[in-house]
Amino acid sequence: ENSIIDITAPHLITIGDHVNMTGPVTILSHDYSWSVIKGKTGLMPGNQKAVTIGNNVFIGWGATILCGTTIEDNTIIGAHSIVSGHIDGDSVWAGVPAKRICSLSKYLSKRMEAQEEEAVDFALKYKERFGEYPPFEKMYEFFPLFTKDCNMCPKFS
């Protein structure tokens, strides 16, 4: 996965339960930019601050979490975001710098509205590529649309 978690001061990094990180995520507990000041003035104004990532957090591909950041519970961080400061929970954040996009309930609403069309598109593209509709197992992200039987549920628990 190639994620980088700063080991300069590991005691400054706290990661909660059910935190999912995709791809190369970077988490920093220090900022070495003070080296420019040191090079010019000889002064060394170090910068090490705690990073706290709450419970039930998703961090998208390529995101960077900077020192001094707190991400509250139930938060989605978009791909390639640069995250700094206090990130409110129950919400979606993305961008450079990361900004609040919407509440988690608004995001859920958007996903519920879009999933049926996406499932149909997924199935049609699968058929176009492989000459047959996908088996149920390939539709695992969309299984709630097709059944109340929760055989797939353990995969997502």
Side-chain angles (χ1 to χ4, degrees):
E1 181 172 302
N2 299 325
S3 288
I4 297 170
I5 298 177
D6 185 358
I7 59 169
T8 304
H11 63 283
L12 292 177
I13 297 176
T14 303
I15 299 174
D17 295 327
H18 307 290
V19 174
N20 293 296
M21 296 182 243
T22 59
V25 169
T26 302
I27 302 172
L28 299 172
S29 64
H30 79 285
D31 177 351
Y32 196 60
S33 62
W34 58 261
S35 65
V36 174
I37 302 295
K38 183 177 184 261
K40 180 171 175 127
T41 67
L43 298 172
M44 197 170 104
N47 187 1
Q48 289 185 304
K49 294 182 268 188
V51 171
T52 302
I53 300 172
N55 299 315
N56 195 36
V57 172
F58 170 80
I59 302 173
W61 186 279
T64 299
I65 313 301
L66 299 176
C67 69
T69 297
T70 296
I71 300 173
E72 291 185 356
D73 297 346
N74 306 309
T75 300
I76 297 170
I77 303 295
H80 294 284
S81 295
I82 305 294
V83 184
S84 178
H86 189 92
I87 305 302
D88 292 333
D90 294 309
S91 55
V92 178
W93 293 69
V96 178
K99 298 201 181 312
R100 187 176 186 277
I101 304 299
C102 64
S103 69
L104 201 57
S105 61
K106 177 74 172 174
Y107 181 73
L108 172 61
S109 230
K110 288 179 182 181
R111 295 302 321 130
M112 294 302 284
E113 289 175 20
Q115 72 174 341
E116 188 174 328
E117 183 179 327
E118 291 172 4
V120 168
D121 187 55
F122 179 94
L124 291 175
K125 288 199 178 347
Y126 187 97
K127 184 172 193 250
E128 183 180 302
R129 172 77 48 97
F130 300 109
E132 62 186 16
Y133 287 109
F136 180 74
E137 296 77 30
K138 294 286 184 185
M139 301 291 291
Y140 65 89
E141 286 196 24
F142 302 110
F143 78 88
L145 293 172
F146 305 107
T147 181
K148 299 236 186 270
D149 176 14
C150 209
N151 291 333
M152 302 286 286
C153 290
K155 181 173 183 148
F156 297 99
S157 297

